[in-house]
Amino acid sequence: MEFLLWPHFDLLFFSMLMAVALAADPYSDALLSLKSEILDDSNSLYDWKVASERNFSGKILACSWSGVECNEDSTIVTGLNLCMKNLAGKLPGKQLGVLTQLLDLNISLNSFSGELPVEIFTLTDLRTLDIRSLPVEVTELESLKFLNLAGSYFDGPIPSSYGSFKGLEYLHLAGNSLTGKIPPELGNLKTVTHMEIGYNLYEGNIPWQLSNMSELKYLDIAGSTLTGSIPREFSNLTKLESLFLFRNRLTGSIPSEFSRLVSLTDLDLSDNLISGPIPESFAGLKNLKLLSLMFNEMNGTVPESIAELPSIETLFIWNNFFTGSLPKNLGMNSKLSWLDVSNNSFIGSIPPGICAGGKLLKLMLFSNNFTGNLSPLSNCSSLVRLRAEDNSFSGEIPLKFSQFPDITYIDLSKNRLTGGIPSDIHRASKLQYFSVSNNPELGGIIPEKTWSLPFLQNFSASYCNISGNLPRFGVCKSIVVVELRMNNISGSIPKSISGCRSLEMINLASNHLSDHIPEELASLPSLAFVDLSHNDFSGSIPAEFGKSSSLVLLNVSCNDISGTIPSNKVLRSMGRSAYTGNPKLCGKPLKSCSKTINGEKLRLILLPSAGAIMLIAAIVLLLIRVRKGSKGQ
């Protein structure tokens, strides 16, 4: 009998030990209780459990659990990070109240419901709180240094009491639905170095009192429907390194006093209603790396001093009303990597040293009135993206593609370029998009190995006075669009086009192409738009077009095509304009083929018929002779 009791005694003894251990470890007990009261459908807290073997060294069991942080000797829980654990339900507060020495708490990006437990606001040692909500009581946390309430759906105004934090260093309220005016009391946050309160729905102006935040290094109030002008008092924020006010409704000019922001590295005022010129005083912003003023109503010329900024890397001033020439030394004194001046009214030529820094990756000059040639780009070997379309550039294309190993996008359309497409274009091994359309004096031919570019998707050279034949297509596995209308291209479409399995659009209209339309073209699986109009094609429309499930438009008008239009519903729904100008072509939507027989068809019908009649006549005569002969005998 005593032997049988031993297993039960062991179980009882172990349970007593566990109870004693947990009683000495209130943190683990509280966290286990918290786990039992919330929903954890993803089993994110799978390792929150009591091990079968316990270490009674006085250390906290929970220190080995995911998301739990402890001090060095594992005797106190100092941090709890439940971010993105897919937890739900009502967050219990009693258990959190046990963690009296908690320094960091993150319960963001979950699906907790109900109100925040008041016990959180009794944790007086808390320095970091990330809960993505907007409680007023949070101001009672006198030791709080980091407050992240971003990315939720909280509405209403920012409580003015949020200006009463004594030691706060980081404030993030962005990405909510906050309304009302920004409280000027936030200017009392003398210890905050980083404040993001943008992407909300505020009313009114930016309070000038924010200029009292003497330690501020980072300020973001972007995307917040703010109106009025930029406070001149912001020039007092002499420690400010990043200022983001883009995507608002700000008006007025940029304060010239901003020259005092000598620590500024990033200034983004884009997508507003700001007017006036770029202040000459910006010459003093020696640390400026990013200057973005795009999508405004600014005017005047770009100060020469902008070209003297030694740290400038990104300059965005597109979609404004700037005039004059670009600074002649632009690019000479900095590591410029991205320049976008498109959609303005600039004149003159490209600054000769635009690529002198050797770091220029993206150059956007399109939709201006630039003149001169493209020779300053000949040494821009770092370029990845070049857009210079819709200007008045002239001369030859100076790019030696073997020296542009990373170029992916080139658009030189709508200019006055000459000299043809460079013959070594096939050396630009990463090229995806190439357009020189609407350069009516470009001339030349399509270089022989153009279609062999492994990543080429779009090739556009319409209205360029290009002559010669279409080169062999080869692999052309990536090509999606080919546009070559209104040139002097002759010969036939190579049957090797069958390798262009990704081709969706081909426009060869208004050339001098001849021969039959190849069946290989009609069999491409992704082909949707085909324009072969105003050429010299002959023969019939390939029946494979009628089998295509992707075809949307086929235009073969004004050729010498004959025969019947295939009976496919898509082909016959194109409309007459897709087929007119081919006198020998018939079938819906043109005239019916059964009513008219042309000379060729009549000859093909009559010749066999005449032969048959002559054969029958010969047989009859032979039978008559045989019959007469038999009677005579």
Side-chain angles (χ1 to χ4, degrees):
M1 178 66 77
E2 290 182 4
F3 180 79
L4 293 174
L5 287 174
W6 272 107
H8 300 285
F9 179 77
D10 286 346
L11 181 60
L12 179 62
F13 181 70
F14 179 74
S15 300
M16 292 175 62
L17 287 177
M18 292 296 293
V20 172
L22 283 175
D25 183 1
Y27 300 107
S28 302
D29 190 23
L31 291 175
L32 285 174
S33 176
L34 184 147
K35 176 184 177 181
S36 68
E37 293 190 26
I38 61 178
L39 300 177
D40 183 12
D41 293 337
S42 300
N43 196 25
S44 301
L45 305 180
Y46 68 92
D47 60 341
W48 284 29
K49 57 186 178 180
V50 178
S52 57
E53 296 181 4
R54 291 296 307 272
N55 179 9
F56 298 100
S57 60
K59 294 185 177 181
I60 302 300
L61 172 66
C63 293
S64 62
W65 297 349
S66 59
V68 180
E69 299 176 4
C70 297
N71 60 353
E72 290 184 0
D73 56 3
S74 298
T75 57
I76 299 173
V77 174
T78 58
L80 182 60
N81 186 354
L82 302 180
C83 179
M84 296 182 64
K85 295 286 188 181
N86 197 27
L87 305 175
K90 185 176 181 180
L91 187 66
K94 180 179 178 182
Q95 294 86 340
L96 291 174
V98 175
L99 309 178
T100 55
Q101 294 172 286
L102 203 64
L103 301 177
D104 305 293
L105 175 61
N106 189 341
I107 56 174
S108 64
L109 300 177
N110 286 292
S111 299
F112 291 123
S113 57
E115 298 181 354
L116 285 171
V118 294
E119 287 83 358
I120 289 180
F121 307 108
T122 65
L123 303 175
T124 55
D125 290 338
L126 203 62
R127 297 178 306 185
T128 299
L129 177 62
D130 195 341
I131 54 179
R132 309 291 165 99
S133 60
L134 210 56
V136 176
E137 297 85 353
V138 74
T139 56
E140 299 175 11
L141 301 173
E142 296 182 357
S143 301
L144 197 66
K145 295 183 180 298
F146 184 103
L147 178 59
N148 188 343
L149 310 177
S152 294
Y153 301 94
F154 300 100
D155 52 20
I158 299 175
S160 59
S161 60
Y162 272 37
S164 63
F165 290 104
K166 301 302 181 184
L168 194 68
E169 297 175 0
Y170 182 102
L171 177 61
H172 198 346
L173 307 178
N176 286 288
S177 299
L178 301 176
T179 57
K181 295 184 177 181
I182 298 175
E185 288 82 359
L186 293 182
N188 297 327
L189 299 175
K190 301 296 180 64
T191 57
V192 169
T193 61
H194 185 116
M195 185 165 78
E196 296 182 60
I197 58 174
Y199 300 100
N200 284 293
L201 303 170
Y202 302 124
E203 302 170 5
N205 304 347
I206 302 173
W208 65 266
Q209 288 87 348
L210 298 185
S211 62
N212 294 327
M213 302 174 69
S214 54
E215 295 298 316
L216 199 60
K217 295 181 179 179
Y218 188 105
L219 177 59
D220 187 344
I221 325 179
S224 295
T225 66
L226 292 166
T227 58
S229 58
I230 302 171
R232 295 184 179 275
E233 292 83 356
F234 272 18
S235 60
N236 295 329
L237 299 172
T238 54
K239 294 185 179 181
L240 196 64
E241 298 174 359
S242 300
L243 177 59
F244 299 105
L245 301 176
F246 59 89
R247 207 176 304 159
N248 282 291
R249 300 171 187 168
L250 301 174
T251 55
S253 58
I254 301 174
S256 59
E257 292 86 348
F258 270 27
S259 59
R260 296 176 55 193
L261 303 178
V262 293
S263 300
L264 203 63
T265 60
D266 303 290
L267 177 60
D268 193 340
L269 308 178
S270 60
D271 203 357
N272 278 287
L273 301 172
I274 297 172
S275 57
I278 299 175
E280 291 277 356
S281 60
F282 271 25
L285 302 180
K286 302 298 184 183
N287 292 306
L288 196 63
K289 295 181 179 180
L290 165 68
L291 177 58
S292 180
L293 306 174
M294 62 186 187
F295 265 106
N296 276 290
E297 299 179 356
M298 300 185 69
N299 52 32
T301 59
V302 178
E304 291 288 338
S305 57
I306 292 295
E308 308 301 324
L309 297 178
S311 302
I312 196 73
E313 297 175 357
T314 303
L315 178 59
F316 292 161
I317 56 175
W318 52 285
N319 262 57
N320 278 285
F321 299 100
F322 290 114
T323 56
S325 301
L326 293 178
K328 61 180 182 298
N329 291 327
L330 190 61
M332 293 287 290
N333 303 301
S334 64
K335 302 295 183 181
L336 195 62
S337 64
W338 194 340
L339 175 65
D340 194 336
V341 300
S342 56
N343 282 301
N344 281 285
S345 298
F346 286 115
I347 59 173
S349 56
I350 301 174
I354 194 70
C355 298
K359 299 291 185 180
L360 191 62
L361 301 175
K362 299 181 182 181
L363 178 60
M364 311 295 176
L365 306 171
F366 63 89
S367 298
N368 280 285
N369 299 310
F370 287 116
T371 55
N373 56 45
L374 300 175
S375 58
L377 306 182
S378 59
N379 63 344
C380 293
S381 58
S382 58
L383 273 180
V384 172
R385 192 175 182 90
L386 170 61
R387 293 190 62 182
E389 72 268 24
D390 194 16
N391 281 287
S392 296
F393 289 117
S394 57
E396 297 185 358
I397 300 174
L399 308 181
K400 293 183 178 180
F401 285 103
S402 59
Q403 300 175 8
F404 288 75
D406 298 316
I407 194 79
T408 62
Y409 192 106
I410 298 175
D411 194 340
L412 304 176
S413 60
K414 298 182 182 179
N415 280 289
R416 301 174 183 174
L417 300 174
T418 57
I421 299 171
S423 59
D424 67 340
I425 188 174
H426 65 281
R427 304 289 296 275
S429 59
K430 295 182 181 180
L431 190 62
Q432 299 175 17
Y433 183 101
F434 181 80
S435 178
V436 288
S437 291
N438 294 91
N439 282 280
E441 299 177 14
L442 183 65
I445 63 172
I446 300 174
E448 185 63 31
K449 298 181 180 179
T450 297
W451 313 124
S452 65
L453 287 164
F455 301 107
L456 185 64
Q457 296 178 17
N458 186 304
F459 184 89
S460 299
S462 296
Y463 192 40
C464 287
N465 197 28
I466 293 173
S467 57
N469 297 341
L470 287 173
R472 187 176 181 276
F473 280 90
V475 180
C476 63
K477 61 181 180 180
S478 300
I479 294 180
V480 176
V481 174
V482 173
E483 290 185 305
L484 292 168
R485 63 183 177 85
M486 298 184 71
N487 283 294
N488 294 310
I489 301 171
S490 56
S492 59
I493 299 177
K495 292 185 177 182
S496 57
I497 200 170
S498 60
C500 305
R501 308 296 288 176
S502 299
L503 189 64
E504 296 178 6
M505 174 182 174
I506 183 167
N507 191 336
L508 302 174
S510 301
N511 280 284
H512 301 294
L513 292 162
S514 57
D515 208 345
H516 290 51
I517 300 172
E519 295 180 357
E520 289 80 2
L521 173 64
S523 300
L524 294 177
S526 302
L527 197 61
F529 298 91
V530 183
D531 193 343
L532 306 177
S533 62
H534 295 273
N535 278 285
D536 300 314
F537 289 109
S538 58
S540 59
I541 297 175
E544 283 73 12
F545 276 126
K547 302 174 184 177
S548 174
S549 60
S550 59
L551 193 64
V552 175
L553 173 66
L554 172 66
N555 190 347
V556 294
S557 62
C558 300
N559 280 281
D560 191 27
I561 295 172
S562 58
T564 305
I565 297 172
S567 59
N568 177 269
K569 181 179 179 181
V570 174
L571 291 182
R572 294 198 168 185
S573 65
M574 295 293 176
R576 294 177 59 87
S577 61
Y579 305 108
T580 55
N582 294 284
K584 302 173 187 177
L585 187 64
C586 60
K588 291 182 178 180
L590 300 181
K591 60 190 176 184
S592 174
C593 295
S594 60
K595 293 182 180 179
T596 304
I597 301 177
N598 59 34
E600 180 67 18
K601 289 185 177 180
L602 185 61
R603 185 179 67 83
L604 294 175
I605 293 172
L606 291 179
L607 283 178
S609 300
I613 292 171
M614 292 175 65
L615 178 60
I616 292 171
I619 294 172
V620 169
L621 288 173
L622 179 62
L623 289 174
I624 292 172
R625 288 183 181 181
V626 171
R627 186 174 183 180
K628 285 182 178 180
S630 64
K631 287 182 179 181
Q633 291 177 355

